[in-house]
Amino acid sequence: SFEINAALLSRCKVLVLKALTPDALEAVLQGALQNPKGFPDLEITMQPDTLRLIAEFANGDARMALNTLEMAVLNGDRDGKHVTITTAGLSQLINTKSLRYDKHGEEHYNIISALHKSMRNSDVDAAIYWLMRMLAGGEDPLYIARRLIRFASEDIGLADRQALPLTVAVFQACQLIGMPECDVNLTEAVTYLALAPKSNALYAAKSAAQADIKATGNLPVPLQIRNAPTKLMKDLGYGSDYKYAHDTAAKLTTMTTMPPELKLHRYYEPTSQGQEKAWQQRLAAIRQWHQQHPQTEPSDDET
């Protein structure tokens, strides 16, 4: 689905290849040993649990299982045509599992999704695990760092105002020193983001505003907050009735700044999480002030 466009894919019959079970892989290995074309002219002896170890090491991949079996035969104890494969000798070939990871395919997106959702769920151990899986698979650390910056804004926002500066600093650290040294920087950021208070209020505000823009199009800017760099614009009423907030004790005015069609629309609704609680209280105070001081409506001529 990543390599073929949708039009062609819709005309194809898609077969999903799933990972083979250890039992199935063991059957494949037995077939290779019993087939006369597998290892011709060799008599192979191995301990009963050796094939099972190879099957489990292959991680669902028959090609990996067969390659490992071939390496085991080539490195076994040989006496003429007789080859003996021991569990101890095999352990030298399977001491590191092969990771299934494609940097531009499904597993790439599966694991970055797992990292993102683990942090969102405040599961710090799972987040660190998925981070290490990506790095072990050869992922570009700058890609991960960019995703962490995005997460800091989308899932934490103003609940912790240090999250975004931290992730930007980690991105710069990864640029400066690269792998493998920057893995600890990424671990620091992932740990911080997983444990930080969460809020998607900023993301929700952005999405709501975008939906209104799509629905209402180019609503005109109210005259009182338009810039008037020319005399003609001033004569047309641009900037007339503008109220300067700094001239008031409350630093607030009754002037309307939202297009009239969207007057009652609200986008940012802060949560009570972390530092965002202070913004929740501040916004409540602003709204209470406006309830006590109704906004002035522009005249028909001004609109």
Side-chain angles (χ1 to χ4, degrees), residues 61-109:
D61 188 338
R63 180 175 53 184
M64 173 67 69
L66 291 170
N67 287 342
T68 304
L69 176 62
E70 184 178 20
M71 289 295 296
V73 171
L74 292 175
N75 290 277
D77 297 331
R78 188 161 183 169
D79 182 9
K81 293 184 177 182
H82 187 79
V83 178
T84 301
I85 301 174
T86 64
T87 301
L90 180 64
S91 64
Q92 299 179 22
L93 301 175
I94 61 174
N95 58 358
T96 303
K97 271 189 175 290
S98 175
L99 294 175
R100 187 186 301 116
Y101 191 78
D102 45 356
K103 287 190 283 186
H104 302 289
E106 179 182 358
E107 207 63 7
H108 163 83
Y109 293 103

Side-chain angles (χ1 to χ4, degrees), residues 113 119 144 164 193 213 222 236:
S113 175
M119 291 189 297
I144 301 174
L164 182 57
L193 297 178
I213 293 168
L236 292 173

Side-chain angles (χ1 to χ4, degrees), residues 206-217:
K206 177 209 72 166
S207 300
Q210 287 175 330
D212 272 350
I213 293 168
K214 185 176 181 180
T216 60

Side-chain angles (χ1 to χ4, degrees), residues 6-75:
L8 182 58
L9 193 62
S10 66
R11 292 166 173 78
C12 295
K13 185 174 183 179
V14 178
L15 303 177
V16 179
L17 302 181
K18 298 182 179 180
L20 296 175
T21 65
D23 289 340
L25 290 173
E26 202 167 345
V28 170
L29 295 171
Q30 287 284 7
L33 290 172
Q34 296 169 4
N35 193 307
K37 295 182 180 180
F39 297 99
D41 303 325
L42 290 180
E43 298 176 6
I44 300 171
T45 301
M46 62 177 63
Q47 298 173 0
D49 57 347
T50 302
L51 274 189
R52 188 67 181 187
L53 288 175
I54 297 176
E56 291 175 349
F57 167 76
N59 201 22
D61 188 338
R63 180 175 53 184
M64 173 67 69
L66 291 170
N67 287 342
T68 304
L69 176 62
E70 184 178 20
M71 289 295 296
V73 171
L74 292 175
N75 290 277

Side-chain angles (χ1 to χ4, degrees), residues 169-203:
V170 166
F171 179 85
Q172 293 172 335
C174 290
Q175 283 184 312
L176 289 172
I177 63 176
M179 285 293 288
E181 289 84 358
C182 76
D183 59 354
V184 70
N185 301 111
L186 290 169
T187 304
E188 175 188 7
V190 164
T191 301
Y192 189 99
L193 297 178
L195 296 178
K198 306 297 189 295
S199 171
N200 71 338
L202 293 177
Y203 184 80

